[in-house]
Amino acid sequence: MRSMKKYCILLSELWLCAFFLLTGCAGTKGAEEKKSIRIGVSLYRGDDTFLNNIRGELERCAKDFEQEKGVKVTLDIQDAKGNQNTQNDQVERFLALGCDVLCINPVDRTAASVLIDKAMAAQTPVIFFNRQPVAEDMDRWDRIFYVGAEAKASAVLQGSIVVDGYRENPEKLDLNGDGVVSYVLLEGESSHQDSLIRTEWSVQTLKDGGVPIEKLTGGIANWERSQASALMEQWLEKYPGRIELVICNNDDMALGAIDAMERAGMEGIAVVGIDGTTPGLAAVESGKLMGTVAIDRTQYAGAILAIATGEALGWEPDAKLEFEDGKYYQCPWQIVVKK
Ligand code: GAL
């Protein structure tokens, strides 16, 4: 896994360098060149592990950009603490401070129109990320973008980790040898575009791959480790010796399930996640997590920053970023398992 990670980081860095070089060559639309830009960033929750990883990478990419381009980038990063009103206030403040561009991870993805109204009134472009606004909102202005990673693709890869594992060694998943893999499912927020799609396609991939499965139960743990841990604790008591697989919509919930298994002194139950967070990758490495599906953080954060700087500086869009419908950028996923 280590060598794959290194390769991946190298690829990301090459990708970023190529991107910045190309954007640099593309020239500017405006006559006057800015020497500094201010980017307002609001996270739906600052304690979300996946978003914290993206935040770290965004800060790193901004430093690289400053060094390579000689343009000072001020990232003003705020935590909306799961409150849409707080986020609305943060956006107003960003605009009052004269931010050149906004990068918003919306609390309520169906309420983006309020933020868009404010941004459009100030003629300030917006890059939404991770929580996708509805199409009607995205279509309101050609300076609104979205950076994310396709939910279906992540789920199909997650399912294929289990399919491959089952084909290699069915006994590792069918622990009691009854010919069926009994699973429980931990889901993210019900309002999040990723939750339903990931759940549907992980299970569908197992079926398509010929893994005989039976669902024992499932529940919503809102992406959170502690909520997942509490649910798993109940399920371990309710289904003693029966749970063979835990399918999780993200790594943090997978780690929560593992916490509960450790507390109960249980071993051998397979757990799969999605995200490739720092603790998620460490759990794969240590053998606690059967596998995860990871995005390339540098590419994800690099895309947000590239669009933001391009918009703020008036640079022509770079050919290297492939947008869907001119505004959606989806970062690719890859499987991470211990070899
Ligand atoms: C998902 C991610 C979760 C959580 C959520 C927040 O895409 O898998 O871990 O970060 O976004 O919106």
Side-chain angles (χ1 to χ4, degrees):
M1 192 176 77
R2 224 170 260 142
S3 62
M4 186 170 79
K5 258 173 25 196
K6 256 191 214 149
Y7 173 70
C8 191
I9 287 166
L10 191 71
L11 261 188
S12 318
E13 274 166 5
L14 284 178
W15 180 90
L16 255 192
C17 289
F19 185 87
F20 289 140
L21 280 175
L22 280 167
T23 35
C25 294
T28 56
K29 280 188 224 158
E32 213 183 291
E33 287 208 12
K34 285 188 184 169
K35 282 286 159 233
S36 76
I37 56 171
R38 189 178 187 98
I39 305 178
V41 183
S42 173
L43 302 176
Y44 95 107
R45 280 179 60 158
D47 60 359
D48 179 290
T49 310
F50 174 71
L51 288 159
N52 254 306
N53 285 172
I54 298 298
R55 172 200 180 132
E57 203 51 32
L58 207 51
E59 287 169 332
R60 205 185 62 81
C61 289
K63 285 209 178 78
D64 285 356
F65 182 87
E66 278 188 347
Q67 269 174 13
E68 279 173 38
K69 302 310 235 177
V71 176
K72 184 168 167 38
V73 179
T74 304
L75 283 182
D76 185 346
I77 304 181
Q78 299 294 326
D79 175 4
K81 298 196 163 97
N83 186 322
Q84 189 58 62
N85 291 331
T86 304
Q87 186 163 64
N88 295 350
D89 292 347
Q90 288 168 350
V91 164
E92 267 179 20
R93 187 183 145 270
F94 288 151
L95 295 172
L97 284 171
C99 281
D100 299 281
V101 57
L102 305 177
C103 298
I104 308 292
N105 171 223
V107 176
D108 177 355
R109 67 189 194 90
T110 63
S113 59
V114 178
L115 305 177
I116 293 172
D117 285 342
K118 294 181 198 298
M120 283 176 77
Q123 286 294 293
T124 306
V126 190
I127 297 108
F128 289 104
F129 62 99
N130 170 260
R131 300 161 74 86
Q132 187 170 337
V134 295
E136 296 78 58
D137 288 336
M138 288 297 299
D139 289 343
R140 286 183 56 196
W141 192 25
D142 61 359
R143 300 190 78 190
I144 299 175
F145 301 86
Y146 177 74
V147 173
E150 250 187 67
K152 180 177 168 185
S154 64
V156 169
L157 291 175
Q158 183 186 50
S160 72
I161 295 174
V162 179
V163 172
D164 291 351
Y166 185 79
R167 287 185 183 158
E168 225 168 80
N169 186 357
E171 287 87 46
K172 274 216 139 182
L173 283 149
D174 180 13
L175 298 173
N176 58 13
D178 66 353
V180 178
V181 177
S182 305
Y183 72 93
V184 294
L185 214 147
L186 283 162
E187 292 188 61
E189 293 161 281
S190 55
S191 57
H192 198 296
Q193 80 278 346
D194 288 344
S195 305
L196 278 180
I197 303 174
R198 286 183 184 170
T199 298
E200 179 189 343
W201 282 98
S202 292
V203 173
Q204 189 59 44
T205 305
L206 296 190
K207 288 183 185 158
D208 294 347
V211 181
I213 46 170
E214 164 202 37
K215 182 175 178 179
L216 293 175
T217 189
I220 294 172
N222 295 309
W223 310 119
E224 280 189 43
R225 185 168 179 158
S226 57
Q227 289 190 34
S229 173
L231 279 179
M232 186 66 185
E233 192 171 298
Q234 290 169 23
W235 297 342
L236 285 169
E237 276 172 25
K238 193 162 173 203
Y239 303 98
R242 291 185 57 198
I243 303 173
E244 295 168 318
L245 170 67
V246 191
I247 303 173
C248 310
N249 283 173
N250 78 340
D251 282 354
D252 256 17
M253 295 191 295
L255 294 169
I258 293 169
D259 293 340
M261 281 156 46
E262 286 180 345
R263 279 200 305 277
M266 301 280 308
E267 271 180 18
I269 300 174
V271 185
V272 280
I274 290 178
D275 275 347
T277 60
T278 303
L281 294 173
V284 174
E285 184 74 44
S286 70
K288 290 183 180 179
L289 192 58
M290 182 186 187
T292 188
V293 183
I295 54 131
D296 182 330
R297 285 178 215 171
T298 308
Q299 192 167 337
Y300 195 105
I304 296 173
L305 196 79
I307 303 169
T309 50
E311 284 293 312
L313 293 160
W315 288 350
E316 294 293 343
D318 185 81
K320 254 192 107 51
L321 274 190
E322 279 180 27
F323 290 105
E324 282 164 28
D325 292 339
K327 64 185 80 155
Y328 296 94
Y329 178 78
Q330 302 287 2
C331 197
W333 295 97
Q334 61 168 8
I335 285 177
V336 182
V337 287
K338 195 174 181 182
K339 285 287 170 212

